[in-house]
Amino acid sequence: MSLVSLLLVAQLMSGCENLPEIGADTTATDAAPSPAGAEFDPSLCPVVETVVCAEPEVKVVERVIERNFEKIVEVPVARDKLVLGSEEYFIVEPGGVRLKALVDTGAATCSLSVLNLTPFERDGSEWVRFKLGDGEDDESEQIELPVKRHVRVARPGFDRQRRPIVNMSLTVGEVTHMVEVNLVERGEFEFPLLVGRNFLKDAAVVDVSLKQVQSKPKMPSFSK
């Protein structure tokens, strides 16, 4: 803004009492002041122009935030099924031997480690004779069972084995099932019994983060 414009605004605010002549030397100090009591002439004031400022342009930006939520699906579990840990104690019949078992959902059938596994023939049918113990003492039960069939089992680092399959009764907690069990002759072992899917599919669900969920197995009582 020029100096002249500033002076005009200042004079307008003060009533234009000492309005200098436009173009006059504003730096002169010998300008005669207005006589005291002189009448104010409004025509000497500059015309006031109304200035309207333009409104600033406002841009509205719509922001959309997408959120992904984890979907939780509840899987129903049958109430009449047991919950088993990765390790449980089972009672095996015949023999009534209590064994520490590894619950293996990757195995199709149950597997039992025995001693002195010997095949023989009885009444024209194939049978097997073996000893079964819990590994905690020297006593073991001698068991004889008919062979239902044979299965070939492949283990990493070992030759394929031909194993006999027999029917045996397995009890965990208060649940007992008769299932097919393949027999294998082994020496020292941590888990003499491996429980596979043929037992689990009708009896239990497995929580691999737990161990020994079920209490001591209880043999079923038969009324006479």
Side-chain angles (χ1 to χ4, degrees):
M1 183 180 291
S2 65
L3 180 60
V4 175
S5 299
L6 290 175
L7 289 173
L8 289 174
V9 173
Q11 290 293 343
L12 178 62
M13 295 178 63
S14 62
C16 302
E17 293 181 354
N18 299 314
L19 178 67
E21 186 178 348
I22 298 175
D25 187 3
T26 57
T27 60
T29 59
D30 55 353
S34 299
E39 225 176 276
F40 172 67
D41 187 0
S43 63
L44 298 177
C45 294
V47 179
V48 179
E49 297 182 359
T50 302
V51 178
V52 180
C53 297
E55 295 184 0
E57 183 180 359
V58 179
K59 294 183 179 181
V60 179
V61 179
E62 183 179 0
R63 178 175 297 178
V64 178
I65 301 176
E66 294 183 356
R67 301 180 185 273
N68 296 325
F69 295 92
E70 181 181 359
K71 186 176 181 181
I72 300 176
V73 179
E74 294 185 359
V75 180
V77 177
R79 294 182 179 179
D80 58 344
K81 289 189 176 183
L82 292 177
V83 175
L84 300 181
S86 59
E87 299 176 13
E88 296 288 347
Y89 280 95
F90 281 71
I91 290 179
V92 179
E93 284 285 348
V97 181
R98 181 172 176 263
L99 299 175
K100 185 179 180 181
L102 175 66
V103 181
D104 186 0
T105 58
T109 59
C110 299
S111 179
L112 180 62
S113 298
V114 299
L115 299 174
N116 302 333
L117 180 60
T118 305
F120 66 98
E121 186 176 323
R122 176 177 291 173
D123 299 329
S125 300
E126 185 177 0
W127 284 57
V128 287
R129 181 185 297 112
F130 56 90
K131 288 186 177 183
L132 182 61
D134 56 13
E136 296 179 358
D137 49 46
D138 296 332
E139 295 183 2
S140 57
E141 295 287 334
Q142 181 166 293
I143 301 172
E144 295 180 351
L145 290 173
V147 176
K148 289 191 63 179
R149 58 190 175 90
H150 289 83
V151 65
R152 290 193 176 274
V153 178
R155 298 171 56 202
F158 296 88
D159 296 333
R160 292 174 63 89
Q161 294 180 327
R162 184 173 182 266
R163 299 181 183 178
I165 288 184
V166 297
N167 279 338
M168 301 191 76
S169 175
L170 304 183
T171 299
V172 59
E174 298 182 357
V175 173
T176 299
H177 280 293
M178 180 74 72
V179 293
E180 290 186 345
V181 179
N182 70 72
L183 304 177
V184 56
E185 187 170 13
R186 292 178 184 164
E188 297 296 327
F189 40 76
E190 181 180 3
F191 298 101
L193 176 63
L194 185 150
V195 178
R197 294 193 303 271
N198 62 333
F199 180 93
L200 301 173
K201 67 179 181 180
D202 295 325
V205 292
V206 182
D207 187 340
V208 296
S209 66
L210 303 177
K211 293 182 180 180
Q212 300 178 17
V213 177
Q214 297 300 316
S215 58
K216 184 178 179 180
K218 298 179 181 179
M219 293 298 298
S221 58
F222 300 96
S223 57
K224 296 182 180 180

